[in-house]
Amino acid sequence: MVCALGAAVCFGTATVLQAMAARRAAGAGEGGDAALLLRALRQWRYLVGLGLDGLGFVLQIAALRSVPIYAVGAALASSLAVTAVVAARLLRVRLSGAEWGAVAVVCAGLAMLGLASGAEGHRDGSAALRYATLAAAVAVLLLGAVGGRLRGRGRALSLGLGAGFGFGVVEVAVRLIDDLAPAALFADPAAYALLLGGVAAFLLLTSALQRGSVTTATAGMVIGETIGPAAVGVVWLGDRTREGLTWLAVLGFAVAVTGALTLARFGEAPVPETHPTGA
């Protein structure tokens, strides 16, 4: 669970640092997306953010190999709380009382999950589940193609859900991969699902945040990356809770995800508040 929380801290902090670097790069000159990216890559905040993303991914993999998927998914959703707190500090973003309350709710939900979570399930994923995971990754791409044709909130929600499903595919695929030998990975459908799901999720989330409501897209992503993978872990991979604490795990999961949804506007670090000055 410590690794899962560490991943959430890394991802949440990286979001703010990369947002700061991107805005500074945008104000430093004109040009297309490629020029903006090159200017951002010359800033230490963006590079630190990339490093934190990489460290967060390593911690996520370690967490998925040691604790149930439902606990990892809820912890990763809590990165929105980290982004909110860091944005309040570094970007001078004003959080409402409800948003501070949501941060506290996320922490309470994670505490309940930490108390109730057992060890990861010991069931090996069947060949059928591996191919189903690969099929789900392909379905994410199809959902993105359909969602991209929609307009307004429907577009942001569908692309956000697709991104969440893609990240969920990654979570399940990590659990299914049990042999890291190159020959075994080449023959394992879960390895292809991991790559395809991860790339699809990144592309869909980027499109959703650029062309739609950040809040709607992030809410869809949180739902997509938590509920489905948690169900797969419990039903097919044997994830369980500590004896007699199933109710606490269910409550903690619901509380943490609900709190994260309240903080959905921090899916992309918001613009810092400005105060107009007198003439």
Side-chain angles (χ1 to χ4, degrees):
M1 194 65 180
V2 172
C3 289
L5 294 175
V9 171
C10 289
F11 291 143
T13 305
T15 296
V16 177
L17 292 177
Q18 289 166 347
M20 294 175 69
R23 285 169 193 145
R24 186 178 293 272
E30 298 182 353
D33 292 341
L36 176 63
L37 177 60
L38 288 175
R39 289 198 297 271
L41 285 172
R42 291 197 292 266
Q43 299 191 41
W44 68 267
R45 290 184 180 87
Y46 197 87
L47 296 177
V48 171
L50 289 178
L52 287 173
D53 280 334
L55 177 59
F57 183 68
V58 172
L59 291 174
Q60 177 185 356
I61 292 176
L64 287 167
R65 306 296 292 185
S66 58
V67 298
I69 293 177
Y70 63 79
V72 177
L76 294 180
S78 75
S79 66
L80 295 173
V82 176
T83 298
V85 173
V86 176
R89 175 69 176 177
L90 297 183
L91 295 179
R92 301 294 189 268
V93 173
R94 185 182 299 277
L95 301 186
S96 67
E99 287 170 335
W100 279 116
V103 171
V105 164
V106 168
C107 293
L110 292 176
M112 287 186 277
L113 271 175
L115 290 173
S117 297
E120 67 168 355
H122 297 294
R123 295 182 195 167
D124 294 328
S126 64
L129 180 58
R130 295 171 187 273
Y131 282 105
T133 304
L134 179 57
V138 174
V140 169
L141 288 176
L142 296 177
L143 178 59
V146 174
R149 298 177 181 274
L150 300 177
R151 294 290 182 269
R153 294 177 65 87
R155 175 190 176 93
L157 180 59
S158 61
L159 292 178
L161 276 172
F165 292 149
F167 289 128
V169 166
V170 171
E171 294 172 16
V172 175
V174 168
R175 280 284 297 275
L176 294 176
I177 296 174
D178 52 11
D179 190 344
L180 297 180
L185 289 175
F186 184 78
D188 191 347
Y192 297 100
L194 189 153
L195 293 175
L196 185 58
V199 171
F202 177 79
L203 293 176
L204 294 186
L205 182 60
T206 300
S207 178
L209 294 178
Q210 287 178 341
R211 302 181 183 181
S213 165
V214 170
T215 300
T216 302
T218 305
M221 182 191 70
V222 169
I223 293 172
E225 73 176 345
T226 53
I227 298 176
V232 171
V234 171
V235 176
W236 284 286
L237 296 177
D239 287 346
R240 292 294 181 266
T241 64
R242 293 183 182 179
E243 188 68 27
L245 292 181
T246 300
W247 66 271
L248 185 61
V250 173
L251 179 60
F253 181 86
V255 167
V257 172
T258 300
L261 290 174
T262 304
L263 297 167
R265 77 178 178 100
F266 293 95
E268 184 179 52
V271 177
E273 291 187 350
T274 57
H275 302 283
T277 57

